[in-house]
Amino acid sequence: MHHHTHDSASSTLLWNGWRGLGGWNFYFLLKFGLLWYGYLNFHALTNLVFLAWLLFPLPSLRLHRLRNGLSIPLSIALFWHDTWLPGMHSLLSQGDQLAGFSGAYLLDLTNRFINWQMIGAAFVLLVLYLFVSQWVRISVLVSLMLIWLNVMNFAGPSFALLPTKAATPEVARNVAPGEKAVVNSSDPLDQSAPPSSANLTAWLNRFYDSERQRVTEFPAALPADSQPFDILIVNICSLAWSDVDSAQLRNHPLWQHFDIVLNNYNSATGYSGPAGLRLLRASCGQTSHSDLYKPTDQRCYLFDNLAKLGFKQQLMMDHTGVFGGYLKELRDYGDLQAPLMSQVGIAPALTSFEGSTVFNDAQLMQRWLDERSKSNDARSATFYNLIPLHDGTRELGSSQTAAWKPRAQQLFNQLDSFLNNLEKSGRRVMVVVVPEHGAALQGDKMQMSGLRDIPSPSITHVPVGIKFVGMKAPHQGQPLTIDTPTSLQAISALVSRVIDGQVFNAPNVNMSALTDNLPQTPVVSENDNAVVVMYQGKPWIRLNGGDWVAYPQ
């Protein structure tokens, strides 16, 4: 009899240990709210485990308090894990660079990071929760909601809190043991298989395999009748079509100057260093991010291919190239050994976000033209990197970030008048304007404006213009626009097609014949811990090698 009462006493003690979630309810409600609007990359099971840990009955109040204390750092880590924010690894790898940012720029970033409307909405939610919880056991509702999300997540490929359009990213479904991952053998890059995690990974691996086979063929030597000319590759930081549109600069006269515009060009990365390396290695197919930092076939280096044919390598920048080891990377992994063209006597134009000088691009371009006119080298190939549009760039003497549109307008004007000066000079120059990546002026559900950790389509879809200055044939007045999906190899291919310089001599040039069958490249973009692919017309993303998720639109 005595034994029986002891049992019931302990079970009563355990029963009294049920305390509900208390303030943790608000934590989960906040997440449900963000999930509703598609702002979270929600991990349903991990959250359910956390809920169970919080609910587990503990008889002693001391243990209960200890658990609450331990749960605070856990909850913050879990919240971070459920957002699209870059992982700790990414932050640490960028940490040394963050240290170089100016205080004013860090403040500007913080201010952008705070979404005041969201803070207002969270406050309203808090008041509602405190009000309703007087009568309703919110813990029961929150627990049921989380269980439901887990069931939905387990049962189907995707779940939407709203039945109409999936606000939350759909998670790619893993193929069940009975199913086959469908592969169309005739075209390795066929996208008819359903977008499951396994299929997307397999497709990406096939993409890399097929890209490894691609090399631009350059002649072993120039033909006897070839005409000398210069190649100037203008690599602009932070300029995508989405930025051009949000600043309403699509009608700027600069775009009318070009003979060819690649309308559907993918820069394949959201960072400057990798963008430079991809361009310098444009003569081979697209590699993964990590392969950019490994030795590659000598035939991949565009500027080396040109140097072998007598094009003198040149390097020009409107900045020092010290930040992030940019210049060192070009030398070590892009095999660009040309000395940096002197910036002595060039006026400073702006101050970069980390406090270094951005030089006047109009003066630099004029210096390039003056030096080319004096030089004995018949042919040259110049890599020119410009950063006045980079996030956080300020007017001289100011600590505030300068507005992007006036900076872009000025740069477009400078490029425009430089092209006019080139025409007047009578020199033959192939000018290729190819941005590194966008400025992310808009931002989206995954990233606030200015962040480029995830190379989303709006960041990597950049405007590419090619202009043949000094042609005998008259300019068409309207550029020929190419709408097929292209990337870096298309630039290398175009250069190789005009390498003999005859395009400048011909009485008329058929631009569409010149651009016929340019190498096409499906949209695959990556930074060190994020890959974005276009699959069946929709962007999919994989973070830190995890599962594929539909990019929240």
Side-chain angles (χ1 to χ4, degrees), residues 321-383:
V322 175
F323 183 77
Y326 176 77
L327 182 55
K328 189 179 183 316
E329 274 192 14
L330 297 190
R331 302 238 188 268
D332 294 351
Y333 305 109
D335 203 20
L336 188 64
Q337 306 307 339
L340 179 58
M341 194 177 95
S342 164
Q343 297 161 338
V344 177
I346 302 281
L350 297 156
T351 306
S352 180
F353 58 95
E354 88 311 5
S356 66
T357 299
V358 182
F359 295 98
N360 182 311
D361 283 292
Q363 293 180 12
L364 275 168
M365 290 187 273
Q366 189 55 46
R367 175 168 291 182
W368 178 87
L369 182 53
D370 295 343
E371 292 198 354
R372 283 306 298 139
S373 307
K374 288 190 289 227
S375 162
N376 300 324
D377 301 299
R379 296 174 174 84
S380 72
T382 306
F383 180 88

Side-chain angles (χ1 to χ4, degrees), residues 34-35 86 104 140 165 235 283 390 409 411 436 447 524 535:
L34 287 168
L35 181 57
V140 178
K165 87 178 206 296
N235 191 215
S283 297
H390 192 291
Q409 219 150 5
L411 180 62
E436 301 176 345
Q447 293 182 114
V524 174
Y535 194 86

Side-chain angles (χ1 to χ4, degrees), residues 140-212:
V140 178
L141 294 178
V142 165
S143 306
L144 288 173
M145 184 74 182
L146 247 183
I147 290 167
W148 181 72
L149 282 175
N150 272 276
V151 170
M152 293 298 291
N153 201 18
F154 192 68
S158 67
F159 56 85
L161 290 178
L162 298 165
T164 46
K165 87 178 206 296
T168 64
E170 43 184 291
V171 178
R173 197 164 47 96
N174 285 310
V175 178
E179 288 180 73
K180 279 273 192 297
V182 192
V183 176
N184 179 337
S185 53
S186 63
D187 170 14
L189 298 183
D190 171 78
Q191 295 192 338
S192 58
S196 67
S197 246
N199 284 344
L200 284 161
T201 301
W203 182 87
L204 182 64
N205 292 333
R206 291 198 302 277
F207 168 79
Y208 288 139
D209 289 343
S210 72
E211 288 293 303
R212 273 187 207 104

Side-chain angles (χ1 to χ4, degrees), residues 265-331:
Y265 179 96
N266 181 45
S267 72
T269 177
Y271 288 148
S272 299
L277 297 182
R278 288 191 183 281
L279 189 47
L280 293 174
R281 294 179 172 208
S283 297
C284 287
Q286 190 176 319
T287 68
S288 68
H289 175 86
S290 54
D291 281 356
L292 290 176
Y293 298 92
K294 292 175 188 153
T296 185
D297 186 329
Q298 211 45 45
R299 294 178 301 172
C300 297
Y301 297 112
L302 174 60
F303 281 76
D304 284 357
N305 292 330
L306 292 169
K308 286 188 189 108
L309 297 172
F311 286 80
K312 182 182 161 60
Q313 283 193 23
Q314 299 193 151
L315 169 64
M316 179 161 79
M317 301 194 307
D318 63 6
H319 56 106
T320 59
V322 175
F323 183 77
Y326 176 77
L327 182 55
K328 189 179 183 316
E329 274 192 14
L330 297 190
R331 302 238 188 268

Side-chain angles (χ1 to χ4, degrees), residues 330-492:
L330 297 190
R331 302 238 188 268
D332 294 351
Y333 305 109
D335 203 20
L336 188 64
Q337 306 307 339
L340 179 58
M341 194 177 95
S342 164
Q343 297 161 338
V344 177
I346 302 281
L350 297 156
T351 306
S352 180
F353 58 95
E354 88 311 5
S356 66
T357 299
V358 182
F359 295 98
N360 182 311
D361 283 292
Q363 293 180 12
L364 275 168
M365 290 187 273
Q366 189 55 46
R367 175 168 291 182
W368 178 87
L369 182 53
D370 295 343
E371 292 198 354
R372 283 306 298 139
S373 307
K374 288 190 289 227
S375 162
N376 300 324
D377 301 299
R379 296 174 174 84
S380 72
T382 306
F383 180 88
Y384 174 28
N385 183 256
L386 314 73
I387 63 163
L389 306 185
H390 192 291
D391 196 46
T393 303
R394 339 188 266 277
E395 300 289 341
L396 294 173
S398 160
S399 63
Q400 295 304 309
T401 296
W404 189 88
K405 182 176 178 171
R407 283 184 279 150
Q409 219 150 5
Q410 182 180 22
L411 180 62
F412 291 3
N413 293 345
Q414 290 172 336
L415 284 165
D416 196 46
S417 52
F418 170 65
L419 289 175
N420 287 330
N421 290 345
L422 269 187
E423 294 279 4
K424 291 187 194 116
S425 75
R427 291 200 70 80
R428 295 169 167 180
V429 189
M430 177 188 190
V431 180
V432 183
V433 171
V434 49
E436 301 176 345
H437 54 69
L441 287 184
Q442 290 296 57
D444 60 22
K445 284 182 173 170
M446 285 192 118
Q447 293 182 114
M448 66 178 193
S449 71
L451 266 196
R452 301 187 315 275
D453 274 308
I454 295 166
S456 68
S458 63
I459 292 173
T460 62
H461 179 215
V462 299
V464 173
I466 294 112
K467 171 74 181 162
F468 299 101
V469 180
M471 289 172 85
K472 273 208 179 116
H475 175 54
Q476 305 303 313
Q478 245 350 65
L480 171 73
T481 54
I482 307 292
D483 290 321
T484 51
T486 51
S487 192
L488 297 130
Q489 233 201 336
I491 288 175
S492 176

